[in-house]
Amino acid sequence: MTSRKSFCLGLISVPLALLLCTPLRAAAQSAPPAAVTVASGWQLQDAAKVKDSAEKVSSSGFSPAGWYTATVPGTVLTTLVNNKVYPDPAYGENNRPEIIPESLNKASYWYRTAVEVPGNYAGRHVWLNFDGINYSSEVWVNGAKVGTTRGAFIRGKFDITERVKPGQKAVVAVLVWPQPHPGVPIEHTLKNGLGKNGGITALDGPTFLSTIGWDWLPGIRDRDTGIWQKVYLSATGPVLVKDPLVTTDLPLPRRDSSDVAVQATVENVTDQPQKGVLKGAIENITFEQTVEIPAHGSQKITFDAKTTPALHIENPRLWWPNGYGPQNLYKLHLSFEAAGTTSDAQDVSFGVRKITYSVPDSENLTISINGVRVFIRGGDWGLDEMLKRIPRERLDAEIHMHQLANLNLIRNWVGQSTGEDFYELCDKYGILLWDEFFQPNPSDGPDPDDLVTYMANVRDKILRFRNHPSIAVWCARNEGFPPKSIDDKLQVLMSELEPTRRYQPSSTSGAGVRSNGPYHWRTPKEFYLVTDDFFKTETGSLSVPTLESIHGMMPQKDWESINDDWAEHDFARGAQWGDKYKGQLEDRYGKVRNLADFVRKAQLMNFEAYRAMYEGRNAQLFHPTTAIITWMSAPAQPSFVWQLYHYDLEPSASLFGVRSAGELQHVQLNESTGQVQIINNLPTPLENAVVHETVYKPNGSVAYQHDAQVTAPADTATSAGPVDAPAKVGKNLSLLKLDLHDANGKLLSTNFYWRGATGSPDDLKKLDKLSKVALDASVTRNDSEGRARIALTLRNSSKHIALMAHVQLRRKSGERVLPVYYDGNYVSLAPGESRTINVDADLKDLHGEDALMVLDGWNTTVTPASASGVSIAPNKEADPMQSPETGLPFQTEGLRQ
């Protein structure tokens, strides 16, 4: 929201008015000075403890004695944790209400800082900008109220020219209120289970609805109240450049040219008419238009290829989703200039791409980019982080791991992860966005009661982010239709602001779009059941993290029994069936010895389920399935469920199961029909490919081999027939290796399955009798461009199968390096087979130490080896036989109610 005031007020003296106003008409600067981020010097206090008036709190004479050093951007609880008032709620059971009180979400808070206004802002309008405050605020500067905000996702832009002097410090004070209806969360315990999702908090609309508590997040005690996004100062002349929009078009099926259209609003913020030139530049393309704007008026200016022929671009560099091509971006520079001075300027990144939503041979939503069908392999984001602790580096790592998993879409569930870094990084990594507004399933809370606030936040979100090429779909509501009062306004808003993208009223209705899970672990064949949910927006499974991640998320006393600490981290009764999972695991793989054994078995469960989740949809590629989005790909807190990587950023086997299934040319076993399938996600046929099938006995000997030549049409799942092994092979446990080669013999895809005997395919307990395999290893390290790059080659020189070998990068002293990007992990090797895993990490995270790779797995260890700056050794702690037998029981005594 913008607070506009006449620049020269009659209430100030004439000399001061002349001093302030005259330079605006005679400014000598040729470009606006740089914005100044206001991130330091902030202090915070509970407003109930501040007895002085707002005028005094925001004046230079006020002394904030006893206030906390505040973290901005950040929530109130983030500040209190950083000041050691409360422990980190992500660890153990620290988030319980007797430790971090629910009263935090009932209080209002003062934020305060003093910032020097740059001297080169003289003669210009000075603006104070907020990118996001939850939930509502009053903003004060040097003793005067300058504006308000309401809703977590709306920006505030306030003209503070009259209140500040360039070259001097200004006091900024912000009174922040929490959402009006914080509700009462259900405590996650083994006895309670995970309770009902949401509640009355949905009445407030544009806020972090999940922080009341969901089945993947406990109640966050301050409900993420605070200045959670960037604050900055900026300066302009009398005319602002606002709400730029860039759209692109391609003459499909040709992609050799693009028509670009540019739109922007120019606003005169003064009492006098203004005349100038709106100029635009895209690389070597320039265009401009003379504009006259009345006092306090605005005009929308449009340039397109018809009026501006230079905006017809030959051979444009296209933006593609992950896997389909590069993520090329262009930059538009817009400026308003008058009398040789730039009043305001905007830089906008955009991608040249065309998105369509239907194909002639299907009624189901089918997303195509630049004329190429994209099979959507996505992940749901519930909330990026429980306290909105989301520095760009963390988001970069998370979205990078989505790229690594061969995903091409993130669903921004209920719009809970709405910030500039998020969108920019999705553009960078080629991750499309299914982007939602602020309403949960109707059963999870009431409709918002403040329609004005709701629509203002929606409007600002669209205006702010609509130039990002990654946004593919705007969706009004999760698992339900918005009320007519909202839907009607959204329809109008889309026609006004969003000319190219699809508006989807519900995430579970229309054009084959369905949600509704299931969300618990299932056998692989169950993921192949497709009824009318062809564009699947939600389905999931438990996803147990590594042993080291579990050790890092809870105290040692909770490691060897499943208790309320586990429930706090989502392992309890609920849609994920946390109370049943251990039994499912033991029925499949045998009794659990201890936590290390539980994790060892769970990684096989992770890999099987998450691979099948995507392969089950691959099996009907575009005929009729068009999308699969896992619930969820990213955790908001340390969790046992619904994630491809842990909160600490270490990937589990789940990520690598998805990575395997997401290959654009992929070989798989249809675990429902027994057919071998070639999945060709590319728009060109795969001709004269060869599938090599090998069935191994448990002792590692070959029971059956077969080659099949296949031509796989574009965008299709093609059968290569069943694995026609002799019947006697199926009488025992067997292991199947599939290799896909192109016509020239190049390996395109490899896949590995383990199967129980005929009649009991899900009894895999005999896998525990596989012979132990010590892998040979060679390792090299080559650092470049600030990255530690390690190539690890594993070779199975034995006569036995090496199943699910897992490697982990550490510093030589033993601490894990996180995040790390592996191009393969949890690998299975046949006798005589070798595999190279490339490892990429930030050099600074090694702290100057040598690198240590450690290895564990189902039945694998490694022979130690070393090279300059790097070595490899067994991960002994992950071996279940190195720890006492506990059985990992469910705790039954001393539980919370």
Side-chain angles (χ1 to χ4, degrees):
M1 298 178 181
T2 302
S3 174
R4 302 189 189 97
K5 295 184 179 179
S6 172
F7 187 66
C8 300
L9 297 178
L11 296 177
I12 60 177
S13 66
V14 172
L16 179 58
L18 290 174
L19 176 66
L20 290 174
C21 296
T22 303
L24 282 175
R25 294 193 294 269
Q29 292 173 302
S30 61
V36 175
T37 300
V38 185
S40 61
W42 287 97
Q43 294 175 289
L44 176 138
Q45 185 57 276
D46 184 332
K49 297 180 180 179
V50 180
K51 304 305 180 185
D52 295 282
S53 67
E55 288 85 353
K56 186 171 183 179
V57 171
S58 60
S59 68
S60 59
F62 179 76
S63 177
W67 287 38
Y68 300 109
T69 300
T71 302
V72 175
T75 66
V76 169
L77 184 51
T78 300
T79 286
L80 296 176
V81 168
N82 290 346
N83 282 271
K84 311 299 183 184
V85 178
Y86 302 116
D88 194 320
Y91 183 75
E93 295 189 76
N94 286 346
N95 192 58
R96 298 299 186 187
E98 63 270 23
I99 299 174
I100 303 177
E102 272 286 293
S103 59
L104 294 181
N105 64 64
K106 313 297 192 297
S108 55
Y109 300 88
W110 275 111
Y111 283 83
R112 185 184 187 276
T113 191
V115 58
E116 184 168 335
V117 180
N120 62 355
Y121 281 19
R124 290 182 171 269
H125 288 269
V126 182
W127 303 90
L128 176 61
N129 305 269
F130 294 85
D131 278 353
I133 301 174
N134 187 39
Y135 175 77
S136 57
S137 73
E138 283 184 1
V139 180
W140 293 73
V141 176
N142 287 345
K145 180 179 171 181
V146 298
T148 64
T149 67
R150 186 173 177 84
F153 306 108
I154 198 165
R155 293 167 292 179
K157 186 180 182 76
F158 308 109
D159 190 342
I160 61 171
T161 313
E162 302 165 14
R163 307 306 313 166
V164 302
K165 293 183 179 181
Q168 296 184 17
K169 285 194 171 183
V171 175
V172 177
V174 185
L175 182 58
V176 177
W177 286 274
Q179 63 183 104
H181 302 93
V184 179
I186 296 171
E187 291 303 305
H188 293 180
T189 67
L190 290 185
K191 285 187 175 180
N192 283 344
L194 299 174
K196 184 182 184 300
N197 290 335
I200 195 172
T201 183
L203 202 64
D204 299 327
T207 185
F208 302 115
L209 304 176
S210 56
T211 58
I212 191 179
W214 233 262
D215 53 9
W216 45 272
L217 187 71
I220 306 304
R221 304 306 169 185
D222 71 341
R223 305 296 190 268
D224 284 352
T225 300
I227 304 175
W228 72 278
Q229 289 210 71
K230 183 174 71 172
V231 183
Y232 62 100
L233 296 177
S234 60
T236 71
V239 175
L240 304 184
V241 179
K242 299 177 62 177
D243 305 331
L245 173 64
V246 186
T247 57
T248 63
D249 195 14
L250 298 173
L252 298 176
R254 290 172 33 233
R255 297 191 288 267
D256 57 358
S257 68
S258 175
D259 286 341
V260 178
V262 175
Q263 180 189 104
T265 297
V266 288
E267 180 184 2
N268 179 0
V269 296
T270 73
D271 294 332
Q272 302 298 321
Q274 300 291 333
K275 181 177 181 179
V277 181
L278 179 64
K279 295 185 176 182
I282 302 171
E283 296 185 348
N284 62 345
I285 300 169
T286 61
F287 46 93
E288 61 182 53
Q289 182 173 326
T290 301
V291 185
E292 292 190 38
I293 318 166
H296 297 290
S298 64
Q299 289 186 33
K300 188 178 293 183
I301 310 299
T302 300
F303 305 90
D304 58 34
K306 292 180 180 178
T307 61
T308 311
L311 290 175
H312 176 80
I313 301 175
E314 297 290 340
N315 301 310
R317 304 186 304 275
L318 302 181
W319 186 92
W320 293 92
N322 180 30
Y324 293 85
Q327 288 74 54
N328 294 304
L329 293 172
Y330 288 82
K331 185 172 81 171
L332 164 69
H333 179 73
L334 284 172
S335 62
F336 186 87
E337 299 182 11
T341 298
T342 300
S343 177
D344 193 16
Q346 293 260 7
D347 287 323
V348 179
S349 289
F350 68 96
V352 175
R353 64 104 176 92
K354 183 169 184 175
I355 185 166
T356 58
Y357 301 93
S358 61
V359 292
D361 56 2
S362 177
E363 294 181 356
N364 301 321
L365 173 60
T366 304
I367 291 178
S368 300
I369 307 293
N370 304 330
V372 174
R373 297 187 193 198
V374 176
F375 189 77
I376 295 299
R377 299 178 301 277
D380 289 287
W381 277 42
L383 183 70
D384 36 30
E385 201 276 335
M386 61 192 303
L387 301 191
K388 303 300 288 184
R389 294 175 291 193
I390 45 171
R392 188 179 179 94
E393 293 76 15
R394 179 179 178 87
L395 286 177
D396 192 294
E398 295 195 74
I399 297 173
H400 189 171
M401 281 191 277
H402 283 68
Q403 180 203 50
L404 191 70
N406 286 324
L407 296 185
N408 54 39
L409 180 140
I410 287 172
R411 176 174 166 235
N412 187 10
W413 177 87
V414 196
Q416 300 287 278
S417 302
T418 297
E420 185 62 43
D421 287 340
F422 177 68
Y423 292 88
E424 288 182 359
L425 290 165
C426 285
D427 292 345
K428 171 184 174 180
Y429 287 109
I431 306 298
L432 296 166
L433 281 167
W434 172 293
D435 204 355
E436 295 185 352
F437 302 127
F438 320 116
Q439 282 194 274
N441 184 312
S443 67
D444 294 332
D447 295 332
D449 65 350
D450 182 346
L451 194 57
V452 172
T453 293
Y454 187 87
M455 293 309 302
N457 278 253
V458 170
R459 168 180 278 272
D460 199 54
K461 174 173 176 169
I462 295 170
L463 289 173
R464 184 177 178 186
F465 299 117
R466 61 184 174 172
N467 290 301
H468 289 278
S470 52
I471 299 174
V473 175
W474 294 111
C475 181
R477 188 171 200 165
N478 172 55
E479 297 178 325
F481 288 96
K484 189 175 185 301
S485 58
I486 288 179
D487 185 56
D488 287 350
K489 291 182 181 298
L490 283 173
Q491 298 277 2
V492 172
L493 203 59
M494 289 296 160
S495 63
E496 175 193 352
L497 303 180
E498 184 46 276
T500 65
R501 293 180 178 93
R502 177 184 177 91
Y503 168 65
Q504 179 83 15
S506 168
S507 73
T508 193
S509 184
V513 176
R514 297 288 185 274
S515 178
N516 305 125
Y519 303 97
H520 53 81
W521 193 90
R522 286 154 280 160
T523 61
K525 67 182 178 183
E526 293 176 83
F527 286 96
Y528 288 76
L529 179 63
V530 177
T531 53
D532 62 346
D533 50 350
F534 306 124
F535 193 107
K536 185 71 167 172
T537 57
E538 290 184 21
T539 190
S541 177
L542 271 84
S543 183
V544 174
T546 65
L547 181 66
E548 294 78 10
S549 290
I550 295 174
H551 286 172
M553 69 193 266
M554 58 176 61
Q556 187 170 355
K557 67 180 180 64
D558 297 332
W559 292 354
E560 292 292 344
S561 64
I562 299 171
N563 57 21
D564 282 339
D565 197 343
W566 289 55
E568 180 74 348
H569 297 284
D570 310 322
F571 197 92
R573 186 178 69 256
Q576 57 268 69
W577 289 11
D579 54 332
K580 299 178 181 180
Y581 178 79
K582 186 190 172 199
Q584 292 176 312
L585 180 146
E586 291 186 322
D587 287 346
R588 193 169 184 81
Y589 289 110
K591 291 294 182 182
V592 167
R593 173 181 170 83
N594 48 29
L595 177 61
D597 192 39
F598 173 78
V599 171
R600 169 178 168 262
K601 291 179 166 72
Q603 295 311 317
L604 269 67
M605 300 271 277
N606 287 352
F607 194 93
E608 286 188 294
Y610 278 84
R611 176 176 61 181
M613 194 182 300
Y614 289 80
E615 288 188 342
R617 298 282 158 164
N618 284 346
Q620 300 182 45
L621 185 74
F622 294 118
H623 306 286
T625 63
T626 61
I628 172 67
I629 307 175
T630 186
W631 183 264
M632 298 170 355
S633 56
Q637 69 148 353
S639 178
F640 287 96
V641 306
W642 302 335
Q643 58 195 349
L644 300 185
Y645 50 87
H646 188 56
Y647 177 84
D648 64 14
L649 303 180
E650 179 164 38
S652 69
S654 304
L655 185 146
F656 295 97
V658 173
R659 177 177 169 83
S660 172
E663 296 171 321
L664 294 187
Q665 292 179 321
H666 177 65
V667 61
Q668 68 180 47
L669 175 69
N670 185 312
E671 297 194 66
S672 177
T673 67
Q675 297 280 313
V676 174
Q677 293 179 295
I678 310 305
I679 309 302
N680 185 11
N681 272 209
L682 296 179
T684 54
L686 176 61
E687 297 180 345
N688 300 317
V690 176
V691 178
H692 183 68
E693 307 164 2
T694 309
V695 179
Y696 293 92
K697 297 177 182 178
N699 65 6
S701 64
V702 175
Y704 170 78
Q705 292 188 80
H706 175 68
D707 284 345
Q709 190 173 72
V710 179
T711 291
D715 300 325
T716 302
T718 301
S719 175
V723 179
D724 197 19
K728 63 181 180 180
V729 173
K731 292 182 179 180
N732 202 343
L733 177 80
S734 63
L735 301 107
L736 171 64
K737 188 173 190 292
L738 300 175
D739 294 305
L740 174 66
H741 295 84
D742 68 12
N744 298 316
K746 178 184 176 182
L747 181 65
L748 300 177
S749 174
T750 187
N751 216 338
F752 201 93
Y753 298 84
W754 42 98
R755 304 185 295 172
T758 302
S760 53
D762 297 316
D763 185 351
L764 297 164
K765 298 180 187 69
K766 289 184 179 179
L767 277 178
D768 228 1
K769 298 188 181 299
L770 292 183
S771 296
K772 301 298 180 185
V773 175
L775 299 171
D776 298 325
S778 62
V779 61
T780 60
R781 175 178 167 184
N782 293 287
D783 299 343
S784 63
E785 299 176 335
R787 309 296 298 178
R789 304 186 192 279
I790 296 167
L792 172 64
T793 299
L794 301 174
R795 180 174 177 80
N796 181 5
S797 300
S798 77
K799 296 181 180 180
H800 305 285
I801 299 292
L803 188 62
M804 292 280 282
H806 165 232
V807 298
Q808 188 183 77
L809 177 62
R810 300 183 179 185
R811 296 187 284 275
K812 188 68 174 180
S813 54
E815 295 88 358
R816 285 179 299 160
V817 176
L818 295 168
V820 181
Y821 309 105
Y822 306 90
D823 69 356
N825 215 330
Y826 295 93
V827 299
S828 297
L829 299 176
E833 186 179 11
S834 61
R835 185 81 53 83
T836 297
I837 298 173
N838 294 297
V839 183
D840 175 27
D842 194 318
L843 192 57
K844 73 176 186 299
D845 291 336
L846 282 165
H847 297 178
E849 297 183 35
D850 283 355
L852 170 65
M853 301 295 302
V854 296
L855 183 145
D856 59 82
W858 180 258
N859 65 326
T860 57
T861 184
V862 68
T863 301
S866 63
S868 178
V870 61
S871 59
I872 184 166
N875 182 1
K876 294 181 179 179
E877 188 179 24
D879 182 352
M881 300 311 294
Q882 298 296 314
S883 302
E885 183 173 358
T886 65
L888 193 66
F890 276 86
Q891 183 176 331
T892 56
E893 300 296 330
L895 296 175
R896 298 172 63 96
Q897 297 300 314

